[in-house]
DNA sequence: CTGAAAGCGCTTACAG
DNA sequence: CTGAAAGCGCTTACAG
């Protein structure tokens, strides 16, 4: 026998109190308002709605989920939620989900293939209706498999293969960065490029390098590194120790840029004056740093919102196109003429 | 009629293939291994387990949830996930939850009472088994109500009322900060105290102020502010504009401290030399800043893990005690002798 | 407009 | 050791 649940309000308890059948109550409470078709007579419907409201009825998702085969649950996989950019994207996703009565569950993959598979599996076990991946690797093998198995998902922040994605136009963003530094007069420039498996880093780098190359200028130095502060510091350390050290550094991520600022200080260089450094994403910190950081703004939360919208379209059977949101550059004190 | 689900593996499909009854399969697959009691003969059990494994059986939580009245879902409410400290706590919670086969859902309350109520309601509608609040307000009215209604929850990071919580010992942390600055010789000190409704800020401030008061020294200046960089900058701006400006500032949060560093620079002060600034939480950024930030380390992820453990105990009917984790101070270049 | 039935997948007390 | 039944709460095609 089932556990008696704590005097829970169910369709049945409402139906019984009103002397109606539970199916009638269900029809009314699920009735898309504004329809021509009515689920019950105006009077009956009103009585049902009033009582449901009064008792604080909340449909049990286990019941409806079991019956409909849909959970109204969306899984969101990210490299790590403690990466501010991903946290903000997730906030956008969750905000949009909440407005549609969807619930999100999230997990960190730490950009590790095995963890990615395991956590995806756990989300599928939870019967999510669809997934949003914020941790796509350019090597899209896992996603290809998942798609082949009928998995429904969209990517956010990073693109991969031909899977539908909502990203910023990172190539353009990288080009904006190059245009800015070149415009200031920087010719010897370097890129702290992030991880090679992430389209964000590689696209920004490609845009940046392309700009210099297209003008027949010396190719920028490119160094890969983790996306965090320590990674940026280590990469900048290497760059600044070279005899032909650059006059400007473009880090594909604000946190890496902050790390680079630390390395600059260690080398006795004043950022903005002796060395220009810029970041990417324009995190809330960038403007408030002791030396405000030039960065490229990306509509992070909006990216999350759109990814969720895209996913719901996909789940509704519509075809969805990838979206590329436009970045803009914000010049601050960390970059200046050489 | 129900939607035919995509050839899903169910207890029934396994039972049919093996010529067994679904209840037998259920008993075997739920059998706590290592029991003296066996759910089925060794041979039958082995066949069931082998087939389940082979087909990749994953129990449908809608079925078990409906039946047992438990969802194995935990709700986590935070002020905002884009606050790094909360993101790290959440990571700890989710990590521990995953190890126990629990799934977490999270939401931002933005420290807004109405949002807090709404999002809690949504989690309850999702039938979470229990809740973890990372956004407790010292005015614990809402939590008192929830507890009276039989809601099961623990608090994390911030304490409130007598509700079970897992926090750092913030009073001690504040005292450590005071001891450090006083030890360096700072007498004119100020506190950027955060929001008055959060125990983190008020406890750290109380510990700090208490240390100076206990020694008969002038009471530190105390200014409340938002916990973020912009808030810290604005508060420091005020402090540094005073004729009797302090020689050291204790910000109860690293991000506020970074904002204060910006304000110092605007005033032409070199942090560490002309003005000491310290933060709290020792976020990964602190050590990597151009001027490394003195801070108080708190085992953030561990706090999250323990909160989850506490909640599972509570849900199992055990009595749980509040926990206070010990903080330690990390001295860096941002604080020095006046 | 409303009722009655079926059944989604699961667990568990009961029989044998 | 295994089966059979009941029932958790819900939705939906079918009748009337």
């Amino acid at each position: 026998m089932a556990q008696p649940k704590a005097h829970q309000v169910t369709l049945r308890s409402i139906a019984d109190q009103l002397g109606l059948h539970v199916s009638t109550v269900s029809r009314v409470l699920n009735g898309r308002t504004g329809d021509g078709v009515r689920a019950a007579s105006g009077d009956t419907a009103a009585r049902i709605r009033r009582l449901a409201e009064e008792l604080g009825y909340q449909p049990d998702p286990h019941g409806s989920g079991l019956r409909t085969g849909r959970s109204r649950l969306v899984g969101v996989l990210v490299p790590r939620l403690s990466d501010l950019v991903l946290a903000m994207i997730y906030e956008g996703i969750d905000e949009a989900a909440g407005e549609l009565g969807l619930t999100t569950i999230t997990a960190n993959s730490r950009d590790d293939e095995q963890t990615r598979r395991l956590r995806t599996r756990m989300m599928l076990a939870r019967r999510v209706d669809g997934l949003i991946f914020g941790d796509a690797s350019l090597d899209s093998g896992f996603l290809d498999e998942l798609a082949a198995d009928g998995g429904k998902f969209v990517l956010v922040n990073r693109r991969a293969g031909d899977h539908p994605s909502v990203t910023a136009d990172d190539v353009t963003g990288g080009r904006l960065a190059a245009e800015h530094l070149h415009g200031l007069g920087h010719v010897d420039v370097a890129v702290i490029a992030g991880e090679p498996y992430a389209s964000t880093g590689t696209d920004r780098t490609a845009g940046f390098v392309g700009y210099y190359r297209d003008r027949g200028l010396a190719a920028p130095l490119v160094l890969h590194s983790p996306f965090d502060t320590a990674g940026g510091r280590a990469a900048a350390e290497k760059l600044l120790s070279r005899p032909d050290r650059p006059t400007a550094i473009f880090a594909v991520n604000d946190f890496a840029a902050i790390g680079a600022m630390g390395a600059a200080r260690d080398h006795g260089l004043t950022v903005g004056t002796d060395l220009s450094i810029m970041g990417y994403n324009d995190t809330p910190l960038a403007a408030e740093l002791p030396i405000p950081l030039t960065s490229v703004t990306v509509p992070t939360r909006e990216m999350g919102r759109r990814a969720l919208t895209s996913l719901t379209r996909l789940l509704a059977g519509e075809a969805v196109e990838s979206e590329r949101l436009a970045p803009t550059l914000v010049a601050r004190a960390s970059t200046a003429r050489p």
Side-chain angles (χ1 to χ4, degrees), chain A:
Chain A
M1 196 153 301
Q3 298 274 94
K5 303 200 183 175
H7 41 262
Q8 197 172 268
V9 184
T10 64
L11 290 182
R12 169 162 305 284
S13 66
I14 292 175
D16 286 354
Q17 284 186 61
L18 258 24
L20 291 165
H21 195 265
V22 41
S23 62
T24 306
V25 178
S26 174
R27 257 180 257 120
V28 168
L29 260 20
N30 287 322
R32 318 106 197 71
T33 45
D35 259 23
V37 228
R38 291 187 314 172
S41 75
D43 178 53
T44 307
R47 284 166 60 221
I48 291 172
R49 274 194 258 272
R50 195 180 322 123
L51 185 60
E53 166 73 19
E54 190 182 315
L55 300 177
Y57 172 71
Q58 303 266 39
D60 188 329
H62 295 123
S64 54
L66 189 55
R67 178 54 223 249
T68 63
R70 275 170 284 111
S71 62
R72 304 194 66 72
L73 231 40
V74 169
V76 181
L77 214 65
V78 297
R80 40 176 48 83
L81 222 36
S82 54
D83 177 332
L84 178 58
V85 176
L86 273 304
M88 289 173 66
I89 290 173
Y90 176 70
E91 287 183 343
I93 293 172
D94 189 55
E95 197 179 281
E99 291 166 13
L100 296 172
L102 301 172
T103 302
T104 64
I105 60 184
T106 184
N108 289 351
S109 76
R110 301 187 315 252
D111 277 322
D112 171 73
E113 183 69 13
Q114 204 183 335
T115 308
R116 180 165 17 233
R117 285 175 186 270
L118 181 69
R119 304 301 297 211
T120 301
R121 206 180 142 76
M122 289 175 62
M123 289 182 165
L124 261 10
R126 261 285 163 191
R127 302 298 193 270
V128 293
D129 291 335
L131 288 151
I132 297 178
F133 290 99
D135 69 333
S137 166
L138 280 171
D139 166 11
S140 62
F142 165 69
L143 296 172
D144 299 345
E145 280 173 44
L146 186 61
D149 288 351
K152 300 296 181 196
F153 61 86
V154 302
L155 312 184
V156 70
N157 198 39
R158 299 184 191 164
R159 58 174 186 77
D162 291 329
H163 303 293
S165 62
V166 180
T167 63
D169 184 342
D170 288 314
V171 173
T172 296
R175 196 168 290 135
L176 288 176
E179 190 177 36
H180 173 69
L181 294 179
H182 182 246
L184 287 171
H186 292 281
V187 178
D188 298 318
V189 294
V191 184
I192 297 179
E195 303 279 12
Y197 52 71
S199 69
T200 43
T202 59
D203 285 357
R204 290 165 199 171
T205 302
F208 189 94
V209 170
Y211 183 95
Y212 273 82
R213 194 190 44 221
D214 291 351
R215 275 150 197 78
L217 299 161
L221 284 167
V222 174
L223 226 60
H224 287 283
S225 82
F227 284 113
D228 61 7
T229 311
R233 177 186 280 266
E237 183 54 47
K238 280 189 208 160
L239 290 171
L240 297 178
S241 301
R242 295 172 62 108
D244 59 337
R245 78 172 169 215
T247 63
I249 296 177
F250 168 46
V252 300
N253 173 295
D254 281 354
F255 290 93
I258 292 173
M261 285 172 137
R265 189 163 201 280
D266 290 347
H267 279 257
L269 301 172
T270 302
V271 172
T273 313
D274 305 326
L275 175 71
S276 285
I277 294 180
M278 63 173 294
Y280 203 102
N281 277 323
D282 193 24
T283 48
L285 214 54
E288 306 291 341
L289 288 171
I291 300 173
L293 182 68
T294 297
S295 194
V296 176
T297 300
V298 163
T300 316
R301 277 197 176 73
E302 177 65 15
M303 214 156 74
R305 295 190 61 92
R306 293 206 191 190
L308 191 279
T309 307
S310 246
L311 181 63
T312 57
R313 288 219 194 87
L314 192 72
L315 294 177
E318 299 174 35
V320 307
E321 298 288 313
S322 289
E323 294 183 68
R324 301 277 166 272
L325 308 188
T328 48
L329 187 136
V330 192
R332 300 201 180 92
S334 71
T335 50
R337 306 199 161 276

